[in-house]
C-alpha cells in the first residue's frame, strides 16, 4: 500500500494526502449513527479534475476501493468509509467557475457549499432552489450524489431538477461529460440524471452545470394550529385541491409541537394544539396575498383553532420557528434517530398516526415533522442513549416506520438516500428485477466494484427477495 | 420466421398481428423524410403488458429485432423499421388507468394520446404540461421514448420533468418497475429517466405514472414586431434579465414572418417587420398583468415597432396565428426539411443569422422559428422536391445547421431526438467517452441488441471520432 500512498502523494501533494489517525477518524462516517463504517487507509483532497483522475487510476491499479465524499453532512452513511479504502474528499474543489446570468446557469466544482452558490446567485437576482437543512455547510457535490432536497421541493423539485450537465470521473479514470448548457436538449441517454443520486457508486462528479431561476419574492407566511392530526391532513388536501403550490408547506404532529413549544417557551395552541401546518408563498404581490388567503381559508375549513399570517419576512421567520427548532427541541429530550420516508400526500395522516402507534408499541416517543407539500416525512424516534434495550427498540421502530411507509405506497427515502443504511430496504422497495438492473448498470460502469462499495446494495447473494 | 409469426399470433390474436404489405408500408417510418427505413416482417399490436412480454420473448428467442412505436409522429426516424424487424405498436394500450386528483398524478398506458390526458386532467382542473405540436394525435409512449417537449418547456420542462415512474418490458421480456407514486423519492438509481428519451433502445414502456400540475390561468398574450433579428434577440434577453418566465415565448425570423403574413393575408409590420416575438403569461390576474407589462416593456426597450397585448384568449389565439401557421405557410412555398437544434438563449440571434447565411451559401431559403424561452430553434430548409441538386444542397444545409448549433455551445436536438437520423451527430456532440458509456448501458440492458437497433448509435466501428 505504500506504493499507492506514494502515487496519491504524487497526485495531490503533501497537503492533499492525510493518513493521520485523527483525520482518518474524522472522515470515517457521516452524521447517521446507525450506518456501519470502516477504517480508511488514507484521505485524499484533490485540487482539480486531473488530480481526481490520477487518484482514481492509482486506486484502480491497486484494487483499493474509493469512497467519495463532500462535507459529510449525509444522513444515510453513503460517505461512510469501508476498511482499507481511500476517502476522496472534494471540498478543496470549491470554485464557482461561472455564473452566466443571461443564460441563468452556474458551473461549479463539487466542493462549493450550497449556501455559497445561493448567495452568489442571489447577488444577481437568481435562485438555486435545493435547500437541505445543512445548506450552510453541505457541498453541491454531496447534494448531487444524493439528489438532495429540502423545503423547496414541493414547488421547485430536488437537485436532479436543477442539473443541466456534469463532468464525471469514471471508475477507470476517464472523464465523462454529460448533458449540456442549453435549457433543453434530448441528445442521447439522460446520463446526467443517472449519476445524480447514485451516491458515488458510478463515478465521481467533478463539475456541474446547474440551472438557476429568477429570485422569487420574499415569502409571506401562514401558520395554523389544529385540534387533531386528521384536521391538519385535511388542511393539506384542501390546499392541494385549491390548486395552490406553496413554496413551503410543513406539518408538525402533537409531540413535536409540544417539544417546540416547551423549548421556545411559547404557547402553540396549548392543550388544543395537536398539529400544526406552516405554509409560505413566494409568488409576490397580489398573487402571494391570494395564495396565503387560499391556504388560510383551507386551514380554517379544515377546523384550525388558531391561524396567523404575515407578509413581514422577520415575523414569518418567527412563525416558522416552531418547525425550525423541532429537531433541537427533541434532542433536548433524548437521543434521536431521524427517519426520512415519503408517502403520497393523501397518506400523510396514516403515516403520522402509524408512527405514533409504532412508538406506543415500542414504549418510545416518536415525533413527526415533514414536508407536507411533497409527502416527505421525518419521524424521529427518541431513546435513552445509555439504555441498550431502548436503542434496540428504537432500531426496530426505525425499521417498522420504513415498512409502514412502503405499505402506504411510499418510499423508504425521500431525500437522505439509501447509503449504507437501508440497502435491504431498497431491495424491498424496488424488487428483484430493479435490483438486477441496478447491478447491471453498476457492473457496466464499475466492473471491479471499487467506487463506494456496499453503498445502495451489496452482493446479490446477500439480498433477501421479498414478495 | 413462420414459427415466430405463429408465436406472435398466439400472443396478440389475429386482430393484433398484421403482415399485409400495405400495413407494413404504413408502419415502416415516421414523419422525417431524411431518415433511412427498412421493411418490417410484421406489425404487432399488443393489448396489454403481458402480451408485450410474450412478443418480446418470442422475438428474443428468434433473434429478430423489435422496433417499438406509438402513433408515428416522430421527426427523427426513431420509429423507423429495420429490415425483417417486428414493429411493436402500442396504440391499442390506450387506457388512462387512474387519475388521482388528490395526489395530482395519472397512471397511463403508452397508447394514450397526449390530448386525451390533457383533457381528462383539465376536467379536474389539472394540467399535463408537455405539448408537442402533434399533441392531438401523438401518444404518451412516444412522448416518453423521445422525452417530448413543446411550447411549454421554458416554464414547465419536458416529458422527463413530468414522469414519476414507469413499467418497462426489458429485452429479455422481464418486467421492470421504476420510480414511485410519491412527489419525492431518491431510492436507488434514477432508472425512470434513463428510459425516458432512450428512444426504445433499452426497453418498451408499457405504463407510466405522470405528475400533474394545477391548471394554470387562461393565458394573456403579447406580440411584438421588430425591425431586426438582433432587436428581437435583445428583447428575449431583456425578458430573461427581468426575471420573467413566460409560459410561452416564441421567435420568428423575417422569412417565416413574411411567409405567415402572405399565407394569412395580414400585415405583420410590413417591410419594417424583420422578426417577431410572441409571449404569454398563464400566471393569472394581477401577476399575469405584471408579466405581460414587463414583457411589453422589454420588447419596447429593445426597439419593437409594433406591440399588441390581449387578455382575451380568443384574441390571443389570433395574435399567435402567425407562429402557428408558420410551417404550413412555408410548405406552401416548397418542400421543407425541419431542423431541431437548441442553443443557449444568448446565442439565438447568432443561430438565426447563421442559418440565413447557410441558406444564402446553399442558394436555398432557410426560415427560422423557435422556442425563444428555452433556445430550441426549428430552422426549416426549403427546396424543390423535383430537383435532386436542391435536395442534396438542402441536406448539406441541414448538416451545416447542426454544426453551427454545436459551435454555439448548443445541442443537435432540442426535442425531436437523435433517432435514425442524427447518429453521427450524437457522437460528435457527446464525444467518445460518452458514446462508450452509452454502449455500456445498452449492452448491459440489451446484450443481443434487438431493441430498436441503429437508433441513437450504430456499431462503434462505424463511428468517426472527432476532436
Amino acid at each position: 500500500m505504500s506504493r499507492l500512498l506514494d502515487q496519491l502523494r504524487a497526485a495531490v501533494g503533501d497537503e492533499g494526502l492525510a493518513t493521520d489517525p485523527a483525520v482518518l477518524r474524522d472522515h470515517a462516517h457521516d452524521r447517521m449513527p446507525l450506518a456501519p463504517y470502516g477504517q480508511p487507509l488514507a484521505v485524499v483532497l484533490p485540487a482539480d479534475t486531473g488530480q481526481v483522475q490520477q487518484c482514481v487510476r492509482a486506486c484502480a491499479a491497486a484494487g483499493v476501493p474509493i469512497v467519495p465524499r463532500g462535507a459529510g453532512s449525509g444522513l444515510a452513511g453513503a460517505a461512510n468509509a469501508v476498511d482499507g479504502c481511500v476517502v476522496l474528499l472534494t471540498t478543496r474543489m470549491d470554485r464557482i467557475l461561472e455564473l452566466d446570468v443571461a443564460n441563468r446557469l452556474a458551473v461549479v466544482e463539487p466542493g462549493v457549499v450550497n449556501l455559497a452558490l445561493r448567495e452568489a446567485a442571489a447577488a444577481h437576482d437568481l435562485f438555486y432552489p435545493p435547500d437541505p437543512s445543512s445548506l450552510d455547510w453541505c457541498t453541491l457535490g454531496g447534494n448531487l450524489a444524493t439528489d438532495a432536497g429540502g423545503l423547496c421541493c414541493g414547488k421547485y423539485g430536488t437537485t436532479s431538477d436543477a442539473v443541466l450537465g456534469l463532468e464525471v470521473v469514471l471508475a477507470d479514470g476517464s472523464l465523462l461529460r454529460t448533458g449540456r448548457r442549453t435549457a433543453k436538449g434530448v441528445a442521447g441517454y439522460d446520463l446526467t440524471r443517472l449519476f445524480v443520486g447514485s451516491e458515488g457508486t458510478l463515478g465521481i462528479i467533478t463539475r456541474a452545470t446547474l440551472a438557476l431561476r429568477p429570485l422569487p419574492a420574499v415569502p409571506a407566511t401562514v401558520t395554523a394550529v389544529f385540534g387533531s392530526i386528521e384536521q391538519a391532513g385535511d388542511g393539506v388536501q384542501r390546499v392541494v385541491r385549491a390548486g395552490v403550490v406553496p413554496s413551503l408547506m410543513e406539518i408538525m404532529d402533537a409531540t413535536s409541537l409540544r417539544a417546540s413549544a416547551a423549548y421556545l417557551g411559547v404557547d402553540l395552541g396549548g392543550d388544543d394544539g395537536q398539529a400544526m401546518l406552516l405554509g409560505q408563498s413566494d409568488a409576490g404581490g397580489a398573487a402571494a396575498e391570494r395564495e396565503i388567503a387560499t391556504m388560510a381559508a383551507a386551514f380554517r375549513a379544515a377546523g384550525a383553532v388558531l391561524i396567523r399570517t404575515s407578509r413581514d419576512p422577520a415575523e414569518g421567520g418567527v412563525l416558522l420557528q416552531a418547525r425550525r427548532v423541532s429537531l433541537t427541541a427533541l434532542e433536548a429530550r433524548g437521543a434521536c434517530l431521524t427517519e426520512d420516508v415519503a408517502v403520497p400526500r393523501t397518506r400523510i395522516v396514516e403515516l403520522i398516526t402509524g408512527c405514533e402507534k409504532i412508538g406506543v408499541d415500542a414504549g418510545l416517543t416518536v415525533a413527526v415533522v415533514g414536508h407536507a407539500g411533497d409527502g416527505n416525512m421525518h419521524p424521529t424516534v427518541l431513546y435513552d442513549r445509555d439504555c441498550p434495550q431502548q436503542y434496540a427498540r428504537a432500531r426496530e421502530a426505525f425499521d417498522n416506520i420504513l415498512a409502514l411507509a412502503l405499505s402506504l405506497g411510499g418510499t423508504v427515502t425521500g431525500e437522505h438516500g439509501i447509503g449504507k443504511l437501508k440497502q435491504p430496504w431498497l431491495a424491498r422497495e424496488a424488487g428483484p428485477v430493479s435490483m438486477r438492473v441496478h447491478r447491471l448498470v453498476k457492473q457496466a460502469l464499475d466492473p471491479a466494484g471499487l467506487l463506494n462499495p456496499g453503498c445502495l446494495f451489496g452482493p446479490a447473494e446477500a439480498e433477501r427477495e421479498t414478495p
Side-chain angles (χ1 to χ4, degrees), chain A:
Chain A
M1 287 303 106
S2 79
R3 185 172 142 71
L4 173 60
L5 291 178
D6 289 345
Q7 290 174 326
L8 293 173
R9 190 174 292 110
V12 297
D14 282 330
E15 71 283 14
L17 179 71
T19 53
D20 181 71
V23 176
L24 297 185
R25 207 179 310 121
D26 281 353
H27 294 87
H29 59 80
D30 67 13
R31 290 190 303 152
M32 166 44 73
L34 294 186
Y37 61 92
Q39 174 73 15
L41 170 74
V43 172
V44 289
L45 291 96
D48 58 39
T49 300
Q51 291 188 7
V52 174
Q53 291 181 276
Q54 285 178 268
C55 290
V56 169
R57 287 192 179 118
C59 288
V64 167
I66 303 170
V67 174
R69 73 174 253 163
S73 63
L75 287 164
N80 284 12
V82 294
D83 281 331
C85 78
V86 168
V87 171
L88 191 148
L89 193 55
T90 58
T91 48
R92 238 171 114 195
M93 298 171 65
D94 64 352
R95 291 176 299 165
I96 297 174
L97 297 167
E98 195 183 342
L99 211 132
D100 181 342
V101 175
N103 289 305
R104 282 198 201 122
L105 62 85
V107 181
V108 300
E109 291 185 325
V112 173
V113 169
N114 180 297
L115 182 64
L117 176 60
R118 303 174 76 77
E119 291 182 341
H124 296 277
D125 289 325
L126 292 173
F127 176 46
Y128 180 68
D131 58 348
S133 62
S134 55
L135 63 86
D136 56 344
W137 67 289
C138 67
T139 61
L140 294 170
N143 291 177
L144 289 158
T146 58
D147 190 8
L151 302 176
C152 71
C153 307
K155 181 161 182 178
Y156 296 109
T158 64
T159 302
S160 72
D161 296 298
V163 189
L164 295 173
L166 297 174
E167 182 187 89
V168 182
V169 174
L170 299 176
D172 65 356
S174 59
L175 187 64
L176 170 70
R177 288 189 184 84
T178 74
R180 51 198 68 82
R181 285 173 71 95
T182 53
K184 201 171 171 186
V186 295
Y189 298 150
D190 190 347
L191 297 178
T192 303
R193 278 144 157 183
L194 180 61
F195 286 94
V196 173
S198 67
E199 302 189 359
T201 62
L202 300 178
I204 300 171
I205 295 168
T206 55
R207 191 173 288 201
T209 304
L210 302 172
L212 304 173
R213 291 169 175 266
L215 194 63
V218 165
T221 306
V222 54
T223 63
V225 176
F226 295 87
S228 74
I229 192 71
E230 287 77 13
Q231 287 180 344
D234 184 35
V236 171
Q237 294 207 40
R238 283 173 186 269
V239 169
V240 172
R241 279 204 300 273
V244 173
V245 180
S247 58
L248 172 154
M249 184 161 60
E250 297 288 305
I251 191 167
M252 299 178 68
D253 75 348
T255 309
S256 52
L257 192 56
R258 297 262 152 69
S260 288
Y263 182 84
L264 294 169
V266 297
D267 179 21
L268 293 170
D271 288 344
D272 291 339
Q274 298 293 323
M276 192 170 183
L277 289 177
L278 310 94
Q280 287 196 322
S281 168
D282 63 2
E289 302 266 335
R290 199 181 54 214
E291 289 191 355
I292 292 292
T294 304
M295 282 192 262
F299 297 163
R300 195 171 300 114
V305 291
L306 186 67
I307 296 177
R308 293 193 180 106
T309 65
S310 176
R311 269 178 288 177
D312 178 63
E315 200 181 328
V318 172
L319 292 179
L320 290 190
Q321 265 204 321
R323 170 68 180 91
R324 278 192 211 288
V325 302
S326 59
L327 190 56
T328 313
L330 291 169
E331 281 169 343
R333 297 177 53 180
C336 291
L337 288 183
T338 295
E339 188 45 277
D340 165 55
V341 293
V343 292
R345 277 178 291 243
T346 48
R347 315 300 292 270
I348 291 173
V349 170
E350 288 163 88
L351 191 274
I352 294 177
T353 54
C355 284
E356 264 173 38
K357 186 175 178 311
I358 287 168
V360 169
D361 290 350
L364 296 170
T365 298
V366 179
V368 186
V369 298
H371 313 309
D374 55 35
N376 185 195
M377 297 289 118
H378 296 303
T380 295
V381 184
L382 291 171
Y383 66 101
D384 180 349
R385 203 184 305 274
D386 299 325
C387 173
Q389 289 79 9
Q390 282 210 10
Y391 176 72
R393 294 205 305 274
R395 284 212 66 146
E396 202 182 326
F398 191 88
D399 277 356
N400 289 340
I401 292 169
L402 295 174
L404 172 64
L406 288 184
S407 77
L408 296 172
T411 172
V412 297
T413 176
E415 58 185 2
H416 296 171
I418 296 294
K420 287 157 190 148
L421 176 68
K422 296 183 182 174
Q423 299 98 327
W425 291 94
L426 172 60
R428 194 155 153 185
E429 176 174 333
V433 176
S434 176
M435 292 317 298
R436 182 160 60 79
V437 172
H438 274 80
R439 289 193 171 89
L440 285 169
V441 170
K442 168 75 171 175
Q443 173 72 23
L445 291 176
D446 178 21
L450 292 182
L451 291 173
N452 211 1
C455 190
L456 291 179
F457 47 82
E461 312 79 57
E463 212 151 85
R464 300 173 303 165
E465 289 195 3
T466 50

